[in-house]
Amino acid sequence: MVWHRHRCHTKQPILQKAGDPKPGCYVSPTSLADKTLAATNPKKYVDSETIPYIALPKGILDAGKIKLGDMAYVANTANGKHSYAIFADGGPKDEAGEGSIYLAQQLGIPNTSPRNGGAKKDIVYIIFPGSGKGNGYLRTTAEINEVGEAELNKIGGAAVVDCLGL
């Protein structure tokens, strides 16, 4: 898992203004976005520092019928830590997946830098197709955990995790 760096989805990068969460920094868009907010509003997009999310390449999406907003269970098999996450963005076609800075922290990855951090092995995903509300709606970490746990329980919960050696 390589930690996710937002890619600018607009032709012209947008700087945050006074009153925004990080004035002077660029607005970092994600594909999953709050449909009620303007593109220039940083709160429209999923925050990599506070929300556990994953980014996946198109090939995985096409194969699994996964949609923006679907939930996932992500485990670090090297240390046994895990987290629920939301699918919030597309990733590069040559990477198995990416995660937010917050997800890296939850998984106990020591280098959470989006420029050069991450883990190249030992990260496992269980993705729950159809578990999200789709694009246009952002979830809180509490909602992600609640829905993720319910989805995992639907397929066997702890027994599935144990069976997979997670």
Side-chain angles (χ1 to χ4, degrees):
M1 173 180 276
V2 175
W3 304 121
H4 194 247
R5 289 187 295 253
H6 294 294
R7 288 168 293 286
C8 189
H9 295 267
T10 60
K11 291 180 182 179
Q12 191 72 332
I14 301 165
L15 283 175
Q16 294 187 39
K17 298 177 180 126
D20 285 337
K22 295 187 178 184
C25 291
Y26 289 107
V27 172
S28 298
T30 54
S31 297
L32 182 64
D34 183 336
K35 65 183 175 187
T36 67
L37 300 174
T40 56
N41 186 337
K43 293 179 182 177
K44 178 179 186 78
Y45 309 103
V46 184
D47 182 352
S48 182
E49 294 180 346
T50 62
I51 300 292
Y53 78 81
I54 58 173
L56 299 169
K58 186 172 180 352
I60 291 176
L61 306 180
D62 292 342
K65 299 180 182 172
I66 302 163
K67 298 200 183 313
L68 284 171
D70 282 347
M71 299 299 130
Y73 175 89
V74 186
N76 181 342
T77 60
N79 64 16
K81 293 189 176 195
H82 67 273
S83 178
Y84 296 102
I86 191 166
F87 166 46
D89 213 353
K93 67 179 181 177
D94 58 344
E95 295 287 343
E98 297 179 341
S100 66
I101 294 168
Y102 184 83
L103 179 60
Q105 293 166 346
Q106 298 305 112
L107 296 177
I109 304 298
N111 183 356
T112 61
S113 166
R115 295 208 183 272
N116 58 16
K120 292 288 186 187
K121 60 180 184 170
D122 302 321
I123 306 299
V124 177
Y125 300 82
I126 300 173
I127 303 169
F128 308 107
S131 61
K133 292 187 172 189
N135 201 3
Y137 181 80
L138 303 184
R139 290 187 185 257
T140 64
T141 299
E143 290 174 306
I144 292 166
N145 290 335
E146 182 181 332
V147 175
E149 184 172 5
E151 291 296 322
L152 183 63
N153 286 334
K154 283 182 192 177
I155 63 166
V160 170
V161 172
D162 290 344
C163 180
L164 294 173
L166 308 176

